[in-house]
Amino acid sequence: KVELRPLVEEKLEALEALNPTPRPLEAPDLLTACWVLKYTTADSILGTSRLRPFRPRPRILQSIDAKNLRAKNEEWLLLGALRNSVVADLEPRDDGQTIDVQFRRFGIGWLRIRAPKSARGFLNTTFLDHDLRISRGDRGNIFILQR
């Protein structure tokens, strides 16, 4: 809910200050996992502008392979009958927290579409432990994921 965002942001900043892994990109064994999205401020990922049957349910997953620098996001629509996905290449920056993301392929059900070169962004991982990952995107969005 939009009205809870300031409170979530405040609590999130306090948690980020306790980050046990200040350079998460140097901890590939912790980063590599299938993560379940628990909270985000990214309306495009939540599908808030889509009709209800086309909003992702019941979960959104992000699989990260830190050793091979690949990521895959998956969502299910129409009560799980249709799976959408995106595959991306990852390029770590020198700060140990930020990774550039170049999307390579979008999948809409059975259809696969090559992503344009302009489909790119970055993520700054601000908290990482064995069970929880918090990232902030290039558009100011927050992502909280659980292993």
Side-chain angles (χ1 to χ4, degrees):
K1 296 184 177 186
V2 175
E3 61 270 10
L4 293 178
R5 285 185 182 178
L7 177 62
V8 170
E9 178 76 22
E10 178 185 323
K11 301 296 182 187
L12 196 59
E13 288 175 2
L15 184 58
E16 288 169 326
L18 303 173
N19 184 7
T21 314
R23 297 181 63 88
L25 300 180
E26 295 174 3
D29 292 337
L30 272 181
L31 199 54
T32 297
C34 181
W35 298 91
V36 179
L37 183 67
K38 294 297 187 177
Y39 175 86
T40 185
T41 57
D43 291 332
S44 62
I45 290 175
L46 294 173
T48 55
S49 64
R50 302 181 209 169
L51 294 174
R52 186 166 295 280
F54 297 98
R55 293 181 188 165
R57 298 287 185 270
R59 65 181 182 226
I60 299 171
L61 301 179
Q62 183 177 71
S63 299
I64 295 182
D65 179 348
K67 292 178 183 170
N68 293 308
L69 298 173
R70 300 278 289 183
K72 181 177 185 180
N73 295 349
E74 297 175 283
E75 67 178 18
W76 285 263
L77 313 174
L78 300 171
L79 300 173
L82 180 69
R83 181 180 67 95
N84 292 340
S85 63
V86 61
V87 175
D89 291 333
L90 308 173
E91 183 65 38
R93 293 188 187 173
D94 291 337
D95 66 2
Q97 288 186 327
T98 308
I99 198 151
D100 290 311
V101 180
Q102 176 66 61
F103 296 101
R104 294 292 176 201
R105 186 182 73 238
F106 296 104
I108 304 168
W110 54 268
L111 181 64
R112 301 292 179 260
I113 302 166
R114 180 179 288 272
K117 290 186 180 189
S118 61
R120 57 183 30 227
F122 70 81
L123 278 177
N124 184 356
T125 299
T126 57
F127 184 95
L128 178 65
D129 69 13
H130 189 268
D131 300 311
L132 186 69
R133 189 177 107 233
I134 300 169
S135 296
R136 293 176 180 266
D138 56 292
R139 295 184 179 150
N141 288 310
I142 297 168
F143 304 92
I144 301 175
L145 303 102
Q146 184 177 29
R147 190 181 304 264

